[in-house]
Amino acid sequence: MKRKATQQQKSHYKWRRKLFAVILLGFCFGTLVMMMQSQCSRIMMLGPRLVQKPKIAFLFIARNRLPLEIVWDSFFRGGENKFSISVHSRPGFLFSKATTRSVYFLNRQVNDSIQVDWGEASMIEAERRLLKHALDDPYNERFVFLSDSCIPLYNFSYTYDYIMSTSTSFVDSFADTKEGRYNPKMDPVIPVHNWRKGSQWVVLTRKHAEVVVKDSTIFPRFQEYCKRRSLPEFWRDHPLPTDASKEHNCIPDEHYVQTLLAQEGLEGEITRRSLTHSSWDLSSSKDHERRGWHPVTYKFSDATPTLIQSIKDIDNIYYETEYRREWCTSKGKPSTCFLFARKFTRPAAFRLLNMSVLGPFNDATSKSSLW
């Protein structure tokens, strides 16, 4: 009887061990399933960020308001999640519902803006601050500088594809061989063979934007030695110069980015042309206001489909100082040279918009054709 009782106890003990093993196995399996579900949930949450497309940062330099905001509002529609906007305006100016009619510009002003004067180093300081703010967004991969008088020539889809189709920056840059711009006092920090000139309206890659923001060598030299000449149009506000012919007429924003990239040995990483059109051919103008140190300002009467088409038809740029003709390409094929144009007054831009010359900006189906 005792032996039989002992066998029953052993059998009961084995059964309990098996039950414990099954429970333990079930617990482990349940824990594994919960961990996998948790991991899947995390992946699902991260999914949208993983597929986030690179963005273009549009960086506007304005006096106060953006007079052409409605044109840009139409341009940006449908391009959400592919762009960001930053605006440098005068200190204290806010883009609120009272100062802008476009939701895209609400609160987009940088909070550390400075007073900017034409022909002064303050212009390139404003550019550096815009870049610093835009670099805070890790998805910004291209950085486009625009003035408050710029208009887009194509829809957002075409513009985005054009800019993102190449790994280079677009920087109008050429050797400046004319006397009077380069100040020998910049040497040896900035040797004359690295001195470049071009349009300030550049499109930078993230790498080159970081180079500009981190620069602590070239910018101080520009602040000290790159100053515009005391032109007659400013003599009423400043003392008459003793001998204006001996002054160096250096316009900082026309030299800084170009010279910095040359100094850093990065010219092989740029397409040496601007994507923003400005008309400097003033010799035939009968309007004396258009003869000076600034490009043509297009007024209401100038705003015609013929004007816009003539800009779109430009497919090459000639650089006299380098005897170089730059034929414009996109994705390895011949293309128009310019995506933006300036300087347009508010009446001129609105006339073009009302004539349907500018649009439809939000037509996502128009990938590679003109309007």
Side-chain angles (χ1 to χ4, degrees):
M1 291 292 294
K2 289 184 179 180
R3 182 180 299 176
K4 187 174 182 179
T6 302
Q7 289 178 345
Q8 288 179 345
Q9 288 177 350
K10 289 182 178 180
S11 177
H12 182 70
Y13 180 71
K14 289 180 180 179
W15 179 82
R16 289 178 62 186
R17 282 197 303 175
K18 289 180 180 180
L19 179 61
F20 178 77
V22 170
I23 293 173
L24 181 62
L25 184 62
F27 176 78
C28 292
F29 180 75
T31 303
L32 180 61
V33 170
M34 290 178 64
M35 290 176 62
M36 291 178 65
Q37 287 179 336
S38 176
Q39 191 69 16
C40 288
S41 297
R42 291 180 62 188
I43 293 174
M44 291 293 289
M45 292 175 64
L46 291 173
R49 280 197 263 173
L50 293 175
V51 298
Q52 168 71 50
K53 287 191 175 183
K55 296 194 294 188
I56 296 176
F58 290 86
L59 311 178
F60 291 86
I61 297 179
R63 296 173 180 83
N64 294 302
R65 299 174 182 242
L66 286 172
L68 310 185
E69 60 187 354
I70 298 304
V71 175
W72 287 101
D73 185 274
S74 180
F75 171 79
F76 286 125
R77 285 181 211 160
E80 286 78 4
N81 300 321
K82 290 185 180 180
F83 70 87
S84 67
I85 295 173
S86 294
V87 186
H88 185 286
S89 195
R90 66 172 172 79
F93 185 86
L94 301 177
F95 282 86
S96 63
K97 291 183 178 180
T99 58
T100 180
R101 291 185 290 169
S102 171
V103 296
Y104 296 117
F105 293 101
L106 284 174
N107 302 313
R108 299 315 305 164
Q109 73 283 339
V110 297
N111 57 14
D112 59 348
S113 63
I114 59 172
Q115 182 62 44
V116 174
D117 296 310
W118 180 83
E120 302 290 345
S122 56
M123 179 67 79
I124 54 179
E125 174 61 17
E127 294 176 354
R128 284 158 53 92
R129 295 189 182 207
L130 278 168
L131 287 174
K132 181 180 178 181
H133 283 277
L135 283 168
D136 287 339
D137 187 336
Y139 296 115
N140 284 336
E141 291 292 338
R142 298 293 185 276
F143 303 80
V144 181
F145 281 105
L146 298 161
S147 77
D148 55 10
S149 67
C150 279
I151 62 169
L153 297 174
Y154 301 94
N155 63 36
F156 181 86
S157 177
Y158 180 82
T159 302
Y160 181 90
D161 289 346
Y162 193 114
I163 292 175
M164 299 303 297
S165 67
T166 177
S167 61
T168 65
S169 293
F170 288 91
V171 180
D172 181 42
S173 177
F174 54 91
D176 182 22
T177 58
K178 295 182 180 179
E179 295 182 1
R181 291 276 188 154
Y182 177 77
N183 190 332
K185 292 181 180 179
M186 292 182 173
D187 192 61
V189 176
I190 306 175
V192 67
H193 64 262
N194 282 337
W195 185 245
R196 299 289 185 270
K197 187 178 185 296
S199 168
Q200 78 176 99
W201 311 112
V202 301
V203 177
L204 299 179
T205 62
R206 189 173 184 89
K207 174 183 176 180
H208 295 163
E210 290 173 344
V211 169
V212 173
V213 170
K214 293 177 181 177
D215 169 42
S216 60
T217 304
I218 305 304
F219 179 60
R221 286 290 181 183
F222 268 75
Q223 287 180 303
E224 187 173 3
Y225 296 118
C226 184
K227 302 179 183 295
R228 63 169 167 77
R229 182 181 298 165
S230 302
L231 303 175
E233 59 185 293
F234 298 106
W235 286 352
R236 62 179 180 273
D237 302 319
H238 300 280
L240 190 69
T242 304
D243 186 356
S245 64
K246 294 183 179 180
E247 292 184 284
H248 292 280
N249 188 30
C250 183
I251 312 300
D253 54 78
E254 294 181 356
H255 296 273
Y256 175 63
V257 171
Q258 292 81 356
T259 300
L260 174 61
L261 295 181
Q263 188 83 359
E264 295 292 327
L266 297 172
E267 288 190 297
E269 299 178 7
I270 67 174
T271 298
R272 295 173 65 187
R273 60 183 175 88
S274 175
L275 296 183
T276 299
H277 177 267
S278 299
S279 178
W280 292 92
D281 185 13
L282 311 179
S283 58
S284 62
S285 176
K286 296 180 181 179
D287 188 344
H288 290 286
E289 292 182 7
R290 297 186 170 193
R291 297 182 185 180
W293 296 91
H294 305 285
V296 168
T297 295
Y298 295 112
K299 301 177 181 179
F300 181 86
S301 59
D302 302 312
T304 64
T306 302
L307 170 66
I308 298 301
Q309 192 59 51
S310 68
I311 297 174
K312 288 181 175 182
D313 286 342
I314 298 173
D315 61 1
N316 72 91
I317 306 168
Y318 183 69
Y319 294 89
E320 294 181 3
T321 62
E322 297 180 336
Y323 306 102
R324 170 173 62 94
R325 186 174 297 278
E326 189 79 24
W327 291 93
C328 302
T329 62
S330 176
K331 299 180 181 180
K333 298 179 181 179
S335 73
T336 183
C337 289
F338 301 109
L339 299 179
F340 314 100
R342 60 187 296 267
K343 302 169 58 173
F344 285 82
T345 62
R346 183 184 176 93
F350 276 43
R351 185 187 189 193
L352 292 171
L353 195 62
N354 291 334
M355 294 169 67
S356 298
V357 177
L358 303 183
F361 286 124
N362 57 346
D363 180 9
T365 62
S366 180
K367 291 285 185 180
S368 59
S369 61
L370 307 187
W371 299 331

